[in-house]
Amino acid sequence: MPVLIVGGGGAGLTCSMLLSQLGVDTLLVSALPTTSILPKAHVLNQRTMEILDDVGIAEPIFAKSTPAENMRAMGWYAGFAGPDPDLGRLIAKLETWGCGYTNNNWVQASSCRSANLPQIRLEPIMKARADELNPGKVRFHHELTRLEQDGDGVTARVTNRDTDTEYTVRARYVLGCDGGRTIPRLVGISHEGLGVIAQTATAHISADLSKLARDPDVLIRWIWCPAIGEMAVLVPMGPDHWGPDSEEWVFHVTYRGEGPKDLTDEQIEKNMRLALGIPDLPMTVHKVTRWALEGVLASKFRAGRVFLVGDAAHRHPPTGGLGLTSGIQDAHNLCWKLAAVLKGEAGESLLDTYEAERRPVDARNIQRSMENSMAHMEAGAAFGLNPGASAEENWTQFRRILSDKPEDAAHRSAALRAIRRLSMEANELNVEYGYRYQSAAVISDGSPPPEPTDDIRVYQPSTYPGSPLPHAWVDDEAGRRLPLKDLVKPGRFLLIAGEEGQNWCAAAAKLVAENDLPIDTVRIGHIDGDLFDPRLAWAQFRDISEKGAVLVRPDRVVCWRHVGASKDPLAALRSALGSVLDRNFHRGVAKAPELASAK
């Protein structure tokens, strides 16, 4: 077995789908009996949706996801319900995740809009597709209990918990996607805690809130709760209707100090009803969970033939929606590299670039998630919320925000500034797209990296090596339009030349003929080429001349570029691909690494 995947959450199922698509035989085992029974993560950013589109499940996800018009904003409210006329009053509203794909920055970034679908409904879609691509080899309630490595592979013992029988799996590589429950301990990888911010209680409920939840464009409601002196969060969870008509909701409240660990489910429900002002509203409480708001990063992402992916490698506060999306993008980075090594297209050291590339990005995502959480706490303080004060005292502080008295102006301004600062949580496009990988699988062209206008919020597409491929719509001669991302096929490199880059395409064809490399080529220009750039979207960001070329990896990351013509394009391409794939070329013939069957 080439690859054993341990864990059947978002990261593990993505690995299974991607590797099946790449022709790599895998077995996925999960100790859990089913996919997630909790809503948990729900925001899927644009790059993540591109990856899920690659494996054929973007449309089913969009069909069940929050409609674009119901996820345009976040809102901050003065309480939720109750007799006081100010309860439920809107304090402020901010656009989120591209305002339902109407913000030009998001439209420019990708052909896919952001989605919102809780894991309890996302994972069954992923599992069904993984089963379809790899029948009989996606096994839930099969628990890995022992793992041993040697020079040639990994031996794992797995227990089928349905039958209480054991079996052995021999694999070349193991992907630890189990949330860190087992694999890191078995291979001796520790985690670095970046801090526990607070403790949170979450209730997943069914209730009719349609007459109380205002503003159908609001996805996440941050609720100022004078009765408990804390900020609470209310998020619709569908499944059949969204916005105020959602049948299910998730309620979060963050506690200071020891938090909710000693509170019973009944006490947490009572606090929720008190906070929202709905003491007698009929509801069903499906599940109450308690968890720490913290950031955790693995000390390393690889131990021999075992790789950590997703929550096994990093855990995030949910603010910003960067946890699940980071795990899916880990899988996207790693899987094409595994396939290339297993098929003999690349040397083993290509796998070292996984940690080199993903760990800094994941660390930044954790940091941003924690900063987002801290900003919400600071907003509560700016509002004057005090859990030790009475509801009347908290109301007195809140009404200073509504006041037009000169003595309240500074308090009001500070509260509204705190909300404006929170725009970064769901407006961090440069965090989602503006990262740049640095590793042996990226060839620097010696130019300085572009300086962002805003390091968090403003994404400026670029072909600077290590960057995600910019988005552009291109046409063929018949006028059929497709996104540039669709030109990058599974497991294949793409050479994009300028309209006069015939020499680059010819050199790539010769390299393919000599070495059977997975490279496609295309010339793109506004007037001339194989495909056409009708809106000059590619021309704006390609950073090469009409005689230059850009080389894109199978994970749609630019790994090399040459601004103009070359005296010896074949030598230039041979050198670049030799570095990226850890292969030595001699006189036009590659000395390939030891071959390994992908099946």
Side-chain angles (χ1 to χ4, degrees):
M1 175 69 61
V3 180
L4 172 65
I5 301 166
V6 181
L13 290 167
T14 301
C15 287
S16 177
M17 291 183 288
L18 287 170
L19 288 170
S20 292
Q21 194 177 55
L22 290 164
V24 176
D25 193 14
T26 68
L27 173 66
L28 182 152
V29 296
S30 171
L32 300 176
T34 66
T35 53
S36 178
I37 61 171
L38 299 173
K40 297 198 296 186
H42 49 94
V43 173
L44 301 167
N45 66 30
Q46 289 176 283
R47 184 149 177 81
T48 296
M49 287 308 302
E50 290 177 6
I51 298 166
L52 298 176
D53 186 44
D54 293 344
V55 295
I57 58 173
E59 287 308 314
I61 289 171
F62 281 128
K64 288 185 174 293
S65 165
T66 307
E69 60 268 23
N70 294 127
M71 56 178 297
R72 290 181 175 173
M74 283 187 193
W76 281 260
Y77 297 87
F80 186 66
D84 191 298
D86 280 331
L87 279 165
R89 178 171 177 166
L90 177 69
I91 304 169
K93 190 187 293 188
L94 296 175
E95 291 184 358
T96 58
W97 291 291
C99 195
Y101 202 53
T102 63
N103 183 312
N104 285 337
N105 294 329
W106 266 257
V107 174
Q108 178 179 269
S110 177
S111 59
C112 294
R113 70 170 178 88
S114 302
N116 184 76
L117 189 66
Q119 273 182 267
I120 195 171
R121 298 189 177 94
L122 170 67
E123 288 183 6
I125 296 174
M126 302 177 80
K127 182 179 182 296
R129 180 60 172 157
D131 279 326
E132 180 184 359
L133 293 170
N134 196 17
K137 294 186 178 179
V138 178
R139 302 175 184 173
F140 278 67
H141 223 198
H142 286 232
E143 183 178 6
L144 181 138
T145 56
R146 193 164 69 246
L147 185 150
E148 296 177 353
Q149 299 193 60
D150 56 47
D152 299 319
V154 184
T155 302
R157 290 291 290 172
V158 178
T159 299
N160 180 342
R161 293 300 180 192
D162 291 327
T163 61
D164 201 29
T165 57
E166 283 192 334
Y167 58 95
T168 299
V169 178
R170 179 71 176 168
R172 285 282 303 276
Y173 299 101
V174 171
L175 306 187
C177 309
D178 65 343
R181 288 179 288 273
T182 302
I183 295 296
R185 173 178 54 81
L186 291 177
V187 298
I189 296 179
S190 61
H191 287 79
E192 302 166 359
L194 302 185
V196 176
I197 299 174
Q199 303 289 333
T200 299
T202 294
H204 175 206
I205 67 172
S206 286
D208 181 2
L209 304 181
S210 59
K211 293 181 174 61
L212 301 172
R214 306 173 186 180
D215 305 316
D217 59 334
V218 169
L219 174 64
I220 299 177
R221 290 167 168 80
W222 292 90
I223 300 171
W224 177 87
C225 301
I228 63 171
E230 301 281 8
M231 295 294 293
V233 187
L234 193 62
V235 187
M237 290 289 147
D240 299 318
H241 298 86
W242 292 93
D245 296 322
S246 177
E247 298 91 353
E248 296 180 16
W249 300 79
V250 162
F251 171 85
H252 305 283
V253 64
T254 297
Y255 293 83
R256 307 176 199 192
E258 288 299 307
K261 65 180 182 180
D262 294 328
L263 298 179
T264 66
D265 288 2
E266 291 73 22
Q267 287 172 316
I268 290 173
E269 179 184 347
K270 182 179 179 180
N271 285 348
M272 174 182 67
R273 288 181 174 277
L274 177 65
L276 296 178
I278 51 173
D280 302 315
L281 185 83
M283 73 169 61
T284 300
V285 179
H286 300 293
K287 184 77 173 177
V288 173
T289 53
R290 302 153 185 81
W291 45 281
L293 207 63
E294 64 177 339
V296 173
L297 182 68
S299 58
K300 57 184 179 178
F301 282 17
R302 180 182 186 182
R305 294 179 173 274
V306 178
F307 298 84
L308 303 186
V309 185
D311 284 357
H314 46 84
R315 294 191 294 278
H316 311 228
T319 40
L322 295 171
L324 173 61
T325 57
S326 295
I328 290 173
Q329 291 173 34
D330 290 346
H332 196 225
N333 180 285
L334 177 59
C335 286
W336 78 267
K337 297 173 181 177
L338 278 170
V341 170
L342 288 165
K343 294 176 181 179
E345 295 168 353
E348 174 78 19
S349 71
L350 176 62
L351 300 178
D352 293 333
T353 67
Y354 167 62
E355 178 180 322
E357 293 179 351
R358 285 304 304 173
R359 193 171 185 274
V361 174
D362 291 328
R364 186 191 189 203
N365 290 348
I366 294 171
Q367 185 64 37
R368 280 298 307 135
S369 299
M370 295 182 72
E371 289 169 356
N372 288 330
S373 293
M374 290 299 299
H376 280 289
M377 294 181 183
E378 290 165 9
F383 284 11
L385 275 175
N386 181 356
S390 68
E392 291 75 18
E393 290 170 326
N394 280 322
W395 265 119
T396 298
Q397 283 293 95
F398 170 75
R399 289 198 167 97
R400 295 178 63 200
I401 299 171
L402 306 179
S403 168
D404 58 2
K405 295 178 181 178
E407 60 266 31
D408 292 326
H411 179 74
R412 180 173 62 251
S413 179
L416 296 177
R417 182 187 183 278
I419 290 177
R420 288 195 302 275
R421 184 185 172 200
L422 291 168
S423 68
M424 286 188 286
E425 176 182 353
N427 186 21
E428 48 190 355
L429 199 56
N430 200 53
V431 174
E432 297 175 7
Y433 271 107
Y435 57 84
R436 295 187 184 94
Y437 291 152
Q438 296 182 50
S439 76
V442 174
I443 313 302
S444 171
D445 65 356
S447 64
E451 289 293 331
T453 302
D454 182 292
D455 190 50
I456 294 171
R457 288 163 288 196
V458 181
Y459 166 53
Q460 297 166 268
S462 170
T463 62
Y464 188 84
S467 303
L469 175 67
H471 164 56
W473 292 100
V474 293
D475 291 351
D476 64 13
E477 286 193 331
R480 291 182 290 258
R481 184 159 293 182
L482 72 159
L484 197 58
K485 78 173 188 69
D486 286 0
L487 301 180
V488 185
K489 305 302 181 184
R492 300 186 65 82
F493 286 77
L494 177 67
L495 180 85
I496 307 176
E499 50 267 57
E500 296 180 25
Q502 291 91 339
N503 289 345
W504 288 112
C505 295
K510 185 172 178 60
L511 205 56
V512 169
E514 291 175 346
N515 303 284
D516 192 27
L517 292 172
I519 309 173
D520 298 317
T521 63
V522 64
R523 290 180 302 118
I524 299 177
H526 181 59
I527 298 172
D528 297 309
D530 304 311
L531 293 174
F532 306 99
D533 182 17
R535 298 174 177 172
L536 296 174
W538 172 240
Q540 289 182 63
F541 307 120
R542 69 184 188 178
D543 302 320
I544 59 170
S545 75
E546 67 277 6
K547 295 183 179 180
V550 169
L551 187 63
V552 183
R553 303 187 327 195
D555 58 350
R556 287 193 296 278
V557 168
V558 175
C559 61
W560 169 90
R561 69 180 178 184
H562 198 287
V563 173
S566 170
K567 294 181 179 178
D568 192 346
L570 179 59
L573 273 179
R574 185 184 294 129
S575 174
L577 275 163
S579 295
V580 170
L581 294 174
D582 180 30
R583 293 183 64 169
N584 297 317
F585 291 89
H586 301 285
R587 297 179 183 178
V589 178
K591 181 182 179 182
E594 181 181 352
L595 297 181
S597 172
K599 284 288 185 182

